[in-house]
Amino acid sequence: MAAASIRLFNTMTMQKETLEPAVPGKLGVYVCGPTVYSYVHIGNARTFTSFDVVVRYLRYRGFEVKYVRNYTDVDDKIIKAAHETGEEPVALAARFVEAFREDARALHLLEPDVSPKVSDHLAEIIGIIGKLVDKGLAYESKGDVYFSVRHYPEYAKLSKRNLDDLCAGERVQPGEQKHEPLDFALWKAAKPGEPAWDSPWGKGRPGWHIECSAMSAKYLGETFDIHGGGLDLIFPHHENEIAQSEGASGKTFSRYWMHCGFLDLEGAKMSKSLGNVVRLRDALTKVDPEALRFFFVGTHYRHPLNFADKGLADAEQRMEYFYETLRKVDERVSGKDFGKGPLYGEPHKHLTEFESQMDDDFNTAGALGALSGLFAQMNELTDKPPVKDKAQVGRTLQALREDVRKVSGVLGLFEDEPAQWLLRRRDRAVKERGIDVAKVESLIQARNEARKAKNFAEGDRLREELKGMGVEILDTAAGTVWKVAPQ
Ligand SMILES: [Zn+2]
């Protein structure tokens, strides 16, 4: 496969560029991870899903990717949350790291190759701060250490902000140890009750931004390929990372910058069924994880996305259609040998289209269009095959099914057994709508008996009765299956 044909929008240049790794065939990817003071927020889940798909696709395209996503386990928010619960901050953070791992697995997020924590990287953090102090880019002040923005003329080159504008109206507040308002903390002197480590500037803890500079350099080198995060991190977090890393190394920090758009929660706030769902784990009690992924990737990662009932319900219904198709196709062709011979039409054109959309700045929204074409063709071939040659139809369906597996690996969808997924979806709908399953099953049995006795009028009457209960039935090769009808 042509590995060098991917174009991505680089926030640094504000242009789409062809992705060219520093080392051919290899890519280092760093994504700013969660601050583990609580459960992961649904907006962050969107960002992590976007980069999950990016990493999966880069691998699909043949790159050897090293994916690093950190945990911020030393932070003001963690200290505050720990004071509230009476736990040690490090213990509280460890608890939420585990919770994050569980939630990430539930959302089918790949485990990164390295997931470093701040609390394990004090030596690296202190090392880079020392370098900045030696170079005159940072200064100590009463046990704190600050980056001196005035000494780094390229500051704000990612966000393209103007330093004079940034300074306007800002002043150093009473009690602050920094010299100038834009200077930011690399190291904070210990306060009572806070976690603290020894350093050349006394006991203290790192500021937020320095960890990403230290950990990315350790695992990916001083220069690496792709740095990602949410749009809200551009300023000041990524700007400060650049200043620290490039200030210390004198080299380009990340060669490409990618940022994921906001998840707008207004829709959720107004929604009855979602309530104020802002945690991923709460959302996953209401919506299927793959449907949530499908909802996320239905919008380009750089665009804002409105989190609301309608979109989620549509996503889940769409997933049901996909899984119903897969169940039907698997029933027809799985494990069968249709011999060698020509295929019908151009079955791989959908996969080619999927790839060309993904090559264009990971355009998942466009890629889903190609996926729809793929499923429409599978349905056509199973329901009303345009050719008589059953072996040719079987071979073509198998080829299409194989392409679905490839797409599935990139999007993290259709990883379930179709019958299992459909059953879970049905169970959830049954609960929500209060449907009596025992009654449904006895009516289906009565209908099958009526049909066996050729009493088709009674069979139709029973089908109508089921319909009145919100149940749709489908006669398949494996027997009658039922589902809850969409509302
Ligand atoms: Zn970061």
Side-chain angles (χ1 to χ4, degrees):
M1 259 179 285
S5 59
I6 294 177
R7 289 171 66 74
L8 58 82
F9 185 86
N10 184 356
T11 318
M12 184 62 86
T13 59
M14 297 299 279
Q15 279 176 0
K16 273 189 202 171
E17 295 174 12
T18 300
L19 176 61
E20 279 163 11
V23 179
K26 295 193 177 187
L27 285 169
V29 178
Y30 186 93
V31 173
C32 295
T35 301
V36 281
Y37 67 101
S38 180
Y39 295 103
V40 60
H41 183 277
I42 191 80
N44 291 336
R46 182 201 181 192
T47 301
F48 298 138
T49 305
S50 299
F51 288 107
D52 182 74
V53 171
V54 166
V55 169
R56 284 167 181 260
Y57 189 65
L58 294 171
R59 287 185 180 146
Y60 172 84
R61 274 304 203 189
F63 290 104
E64 191 185 312
V65 180
K66 185 168 182 186
Y67 175 28
V68 181
R69 189 190 61 211
N70 68 305
Y71 288 109
T72 299
D73 69 343
V74 177
D75 180 82
D76 290 341
K77 287 181 192 149
I78 296 168
I79 293 166
K80 186 165 171 273
H83 282 170
E84 282 162 14
T85 62
E87 287 170 278
E88 284 297 319
V90 173
L92 177 128
R95 188 157 65 79
F96 283 113
V97 165
E98 275 322 301
F100 180 88
R101 286 215 168 101
E102 268 172 36
D103 292 350
R105 266 197 301 275
L107 193 57
H108 301 198
L109 296 181
L110 298 174
E111 183 69 28
D113 298 295
V114 192
S115 306
K117 293 181 203 157
V118 180
S119 59
D120 294 332
H121 292 81
L122 269 298
E124 290 82 356
I125 289 169
I126 289 167
I128 189 170
I129 298 175
K131 242 188 211 176
L132 290 168
V133 172
D134 290 347
K135 286 188 150 189
L137 287 167
Y139 57 88
E140 192 259 302
S141 175
K142 295 193 180 160
D144 290 352
V145 182
Y146 293 93
F147 188 93
S148 174
V149 169
R150 196 163 56 85
H151 287 94
Y152 182 71
E154 289 187 43
Y155 190 74
K157 66 180 174 182
L158 179 67
S159 57
K160 283 105 193 146
R161 294 187 188 211
N162 178 298
L163 277 192
D164 294 334
D165 292 348
L166 284 173
C167 286
E170 296 284 339
R171 52 188 64 185
V172 176
Q173 300 300 317
E176 284 189 319
Q177 309 307 331
K178 57 187 175 184
H179 297 166
E180 291 181 60
L182 289 187
D183 294 351
F184 56 91
L186 302 172
W187 188 260
K188 297 177 177 183
K191 291 193 191 118
E194 290 188 357
W197 290 265
D198 288 323
S199 84
W201 315 283
K203 265 194 175 317
R205 62 183 169 97
W208 170 32
H209 317 291
I210 193 70
E211 65 188 68
C212 290
S213 290
M215 296 192 283
S216 61
K218 174 165 182 183
Y219 296 105
L220 299 172
E222 286 175 328
T223 298
F224 58 91
D225 299 292
I226 299 176
H227 194 314
L231 209 53
D232 53 326
L233 294 184
I234 292 181
F235 188 86
H237 182 58
H238 288 162
E239 213 64 85
N240 293 355
E241 283 186 25
I242 294 169
Q244 295 159 165
S245 293
E246 298 194 353
S249 74
K251 298 176 193 159
T252 299
F253 176 40
S254 178
R255 302 174 58 247
Y256 302 90
W257 286 86
M258 293 179 70
H259 291 95
C260 179
F262 289 115
L263 186 72
D264 180 5
L265 284 167
E266 278 312 303
K269 279 179 194 148
M270 289 183 289
S271 140
K272 278 200 185 105
S273 70
L274 293 170
N276 267 319
V277 170
V278 289
R279 292 169 171 178
L280 171 62
R281 62 171 55 195
D282 295 338
L284 290 182
T285 63
K286 293 171 194 282
V287 62
D288 172 77
E290 290 193 344
L292 184 58
R293 286 185 73 104
F294 184 81
F295 171 71
F296 285 153
V297 299
T299 299
H300 191 278
Y301 75 90
R302 282 193 283 122
H303 295 170
L305 171 60
N306 189 18
F307 187 73
D309 277 338
K310 172 91 172 78
L312 288 169
D314 289 350
E316 198 153 309
Q317 211 159 314
R318 201 76 187 128
M319 287 302 296
E320 184 175 40
Y321 157 80
F322 291 137
Y323 268 117
E324 277 171 347
T325 306
L326 292 178
R327 175 170 64 188
K328 202 163 58 179
V329 170
D330 288 350
E331 249 174 43
R332 186 74 63 90
V333 302
S334 173
K336 292 189 185 151
D337 183 3
F338 295 99
K340 287 201 179 1
L343 303 178
Y344 171 71
E346 294 172 74
H348 298 301
K349 69 176 180 192
H350 306 292
L351 184 65
T352 307
E353 172 63 12
F354 175 85
E355 289 167 355
S356 79
Q357 293 289 344
M358 290 297 288
D359 284 344
D360 179 15
D361 194 25
F362 307 95
N363 183 6
T364 49
L368 292 188
L371 189 69
S372 292
L374 213 167
F375 276 79
Q377 200 182 351
M378 285 197 292
N379 272 302
E380 188 194 11
L381 283 167
T382 41
D383 298 345
K384 27 182 176 348
V387 277
K388 288 227 160 56
D389 183 347
K390 283 195 174 159
Q392 190 185 21
V393 170
R395 281 194 300 272
T396 310
L397 279 170
Q398 282 177 335
L400 291 165
R401 183 68 177 91
E402 211 33 60
D403 288 353
V404 170
R405 283 199 184 91
K406 290 181 183 163
V407 169
S408 151
V410 171
L411 298 178
L413 299 177
F414 322 125
E415 290 182 346
D416 253 319
E417 223 279 299
Q420 291 296 319
W421 190 94
L422 289 165
L423 204 58
R424 263 209 323 279
R425 150 107 168 141
R426 191 178 81 183
D427 286 346
R428 219 172 30 248
V430 158
K431 259 187 222 136
E432 271 165 27
R433 309 261 287 267
I435 291 170
D436 180 349
V437 174
K439 189 173 175 199
V440 169
E441 280 171 356
S442 84
L443 287 174
I444 288 174
Q445 206 188 336
R447 174 177 169 270
N448 286 342
E449 278 159 18
R451 283 161 58 89
K452 220 184 269 170
K454 303 224 182 299
N455 186 351
F456 295 113
E458 175 64 1
D460 289 347
R461 192 195 65 74
L462 288 162
R463 177 191 278 269
E464 283 307 304
E465 188 174 343
L466 284 158
K467 207 171 160 190
M469 293 169 70
V471 170
E472 265 176 27
I473 52 175
L474 186 72
D475 298 308
T476 75
T480 305
V481 292
W482 64 276
K483 67 170 188 171
V484 178
Q487 264 176 323

